[in-house]
Amino acid sequence: EDQVTQSPEALRLQEGESSSLNCSYTVSGLRGLFWYRQDPGKGPEFLFTLYSAGEEKEKERLKATLTKKESFLHITAPKPEDSATYLCAVQANYQLIWGAGTKLIIKP
Amino acid sequence: EPEVTQTPSHQVTQMGQEVILRCVPISNHLYFYWYRQILGQKVEFLVSFYNNEISEKSEIFDDQFSVERPDGSNFTLKIRSTKLEDSAMYFCASHRQGNQPQHFGDGTRLSIL
């Protein structure tokens, strides 16, 4: 069965304290792994797409990496505005299969 | 930057009533989706739509649900006889090609009383 698991469920960091979020997955025929950011009351906002093991993408303080079993979202020197829920999803056929998300809180 | 637009932002409906949720996808996109997110739970796939027909649907998308693209800009989700358990955020998404990222609207919060 296709499945996506994210850890930790929640993460509290001080401003400037770097860390990583994990997304492990099992899917038959990975067509892409996607990272989204979701703010309260809003829809998921696209961050990155990764298609093959070894691929890396970077944007400002965020860097996403992919292996055959998991993806990491590294956040370097985060700021309070990085506080959000970060969602991981894998594409199987047309649909996206989602993890439960990691709620990230950055304290000033 | 173009965006997906959903209306209304909040819909309150009596159980058993029909409800239509509306979406305007990004104008040059060809693939359209509905997802839902029950409070505190994962986002769940409902249905995908391409070339004027359903391309994939989940077990959630039973006979009570239907989708339509009535013109060149709107994409709607209809729930024929709502149940309490249909209460959720409903998100519309679209993209231009099959494995490109899906872009989401801000959702419609559906509350069934």
Side-chain angles (χ1 to χ4, degrees), chain A residues 36 43 51 91 94-96, chain B residues 35 42 56 98-99 102 105-106:
Chain A
Y36 287 84
Y51 292 106
Q91 184 171 358
Y94 291 95
Q95 67 175 284
L96 292 177
Chain B
Y35 293 84
K42 293 183 179 184
E56 193 176 6
N99 61 347
Q102 297 176 22
D106 280 338

Side-chain angles (χ1 to χ4, degrees), chain A residues 20 52 60 71 100:
Chain A
S20 297
S52 56
E60 296 181 351
S71 176

Side-chain angles (χ1 to χ4, degrees), chain B residues 27-45:
Chain B
S27 63
N28 65 347
H29 284 188
L30 302 175
Y31 296 78
F32 313 109
Y33 303 81
W34 285 101
Y35 293 84
R36 78 174 186 189
Q37 187 175 29
I38 295 171
L39 188 63
Q41 297 187 22
K42 293 183 179 184
V43 178
E44 300 174 289
F45 168 77

